[in-house]
Amino acid sequence: NDHRTIVKVDVKTGQVKGFKVTAPNGRAQTSHGIGRDANGIMWFDTGGMLGRVDPATETFEFFRPPFGSPTTTAGQVDIAPNGNIWLSARRGALMFDPKTKQFTFHHDKTIGDGQTYGAAADANGNGWWTQFNMDTVVHADLATGKTYEFPMEPPDKLEVALTPADREFYHNIGGNRFSGTFARPGGQAPRRLSTDKNGTHVWVANWWGMNLAKIDFKTKKVVSYHKVPDGGHP
């Protein structure tokens, strides 16, 4: 809203305190993702900058990616066990090292429409993110410098009897290539994801696919898909 970007709630007293980051238009800058590191510091996205706040002192710092880097988007912020912070960006994901205060950008293998929805850090400090309109999960391995793709293709994926004209239509409007959001036949639409910080698994919510995907980042394989009861959209 116009008054606050993030909110602090005191669970003992019930007091709610808002903090405003002023946007260029004078209104409150929006925020979408937030995370907590091992020292209790909160990190949050402000749609262009990464914010840091110490809850004990309520002191803020802001870090902007270098000019030319894709800016953060309304997505997730996640902190790896080693302290590195991963957050959504256009055409990939950004990693921020709090020790050096430096950003590094990790780009998609398939650019598509450039949208990144969710981002997460795994137990090894590596990054994961989703391409909602491309039906793809992307993984950046810092040790090898490589980026990997995991297409979301469950065994029971809806197969629609499309005519050649139908297939041409979906191709021409950018289905799985550069499209905006629209319901494609059989689309999975991976949105948010999370990782086991003590294990080797990544969990991905496939919105249109109505399932939860499990990826093993040690073997780099999609292990299983779990259907959501009653057709819910995770």
Side-chain angles (χ1 to χ4, degrees), residues 7-17:
V7 174
K8 178 181 179 181
V9 181
D10 187 321
V11 297
K12 294 181 179 179
T13 65
Q15 180 185 15
V16 177
K17 185 175 183 179

Side-chain angles (χ1 to χ4, degrees), residues 53-108:
V53 58
D54 183 340
T57 61
E58 297 181 355
T59 54
F60 287 76
E61 282 187 90
F62 295 94
F63 306 92
R64 185 180 294 278
F67 178 76
S69 297
T71 57
T72 58
T73 59
Q76 281 181 279
V77 175
D78 195 27
I79 295 91
N82 65 2
N84 287 340
I85 299 161
W86 287 85
L87 60 161
S88 305
R90 290 288 297 169
R91 302 182 296 280
L94 285 164
M95 189 192 77
F96 181 76
D97 183 341
K99 296 184 291 294
T100 64
K101 295 182 170 55
Q102 297 294 314
F103 285 94
T104 55
F105 173 60
H106 301 267
H107 61 81
D108 297 326

Side-chain angles (χ1 to χ4, degrees), residues 86 93 95 104-108 120-122 124-129 137-150 220:
W86 287 85
M95 189 192 77
T104 55
F105 173 60
H106 301 267
H107 61 81
D108 297 326
D122 66 27
N124 296 328
N126 296 316
W128 295 78
W129 60 95
V137 175
V138 189
H139 166 49
D141 189 324
L142 299 179
T144 64
K146 294 182 178 179
T147 303
Y148 301 86
E149 284 187 342
F150 297 82
K220 291 184 170 58

Side-chain angles (χ1 to χ4, degrees), residues 13-221:
T13 65
Q15 180 185 15
V16 177
K17 185 175 183 179
F19 299 89
K20 177 181 177 180
V21 178
T22 304
N25 62 5
R27 301 179 67 178
Q29 177 64 59
T30 59
S31 183
H32 203 287
I34 192 167
R36 176 185 180 276
D37 68 18
N39 299 314
I41 301 298
M42 306 301 295
W43 297 86
F44 60 98
D45 161 46
T46 64
M49 295 187 295
L50 176 64
R52 176 192 186 277
V53 58
D54 183 340
T57 61
E58 297 181 355
T59 54
F60 287 76
E61 282 187 90
F62 295 94
F63 306 92
R64 185 180 294 278
F67 178 76
S69 297
T71 57
T72 58
T73 59
Q76 281 181 279
V77 175
D78 195 27
I79 295 91
N82 65 2
N84 287 340
I85 299 161
W86 287 85
L87 60 161
S88 305
R90 290 288 297 169
R91 302 182 296 280
L94 285 164
M95 189 192 77
F96 181 76
D97 183 341
K99 296 184 291 294
T100 64
K101 295 182 170 55
Q102 297 294 314
F103 285 94
T104 55
F105 173 60
H106 301 267
H107 61 81
D108 297 326
K109 287 178 70 69
T110 302
I111 297 301
D113 64 354
Q115 183 197 35
T116 302
Y117 202 109
D122 66 27
N124 296 328
N126 296 316
W128 295 78
W129 60 95
T130 59
Q131 291 180 286
F132 180 89
N133 294 315
M134 302 296 109
D135 283 355
T136 304
V137 175
V138 189
H139 166 49
D141 189 324
L142 299 179
T144 64
K146 294 182 178 179
T147 303
Y148 301 86
E149 284 187 342
F150 297 82
M152 294 287 95
E153 296 181 339
D156 61 348
K157 177 179 177 179
L158 176 65
E159 294 294 341
V160 181
L162 299 177
T163 67
D166 293 333
R167 295 183 186 281
E168 181 181 9
F169 168 76
Y170 280 107
H171 177 81
N172 288 340
I173 63 174
N176 291 93
R177 297 191 300 133
F178 57 82
S179 63
T181 301
F182 64 90
R184 301 178 306 280
Q188 297 298 302
R191 294 185 72 170
R192 303 245 173 181
L193 73 170
S194 191
T195 62
D196 181 351
K197 297 298 189 291
N198 301 302
T200 64
H201 293 126
V202 180
W203 295 90
V204 184
N206 286 318
W207 174 250
W208 286 332
M210 302 182 191
N211 63 70
L212 187 66
K214 181 181 181 180
I215 302 173
D216 188 321
F217 57 76
K218 185 175 182 180
T219 62
K220 291 184 170 58
K221 292 182 178 179

Side-chain angles (χ1 to χ4, degrees), residues 216-230:
D216 188 321
F217 57 76
K218 185 175 182 180
T219 62
K220 291 184 170 58
K221 292 182 178 179
V222 181
V223 177
S224 54
Y225 295 87
H226 303 269
K227 292 293 291 183
V228 176
D230 301 321

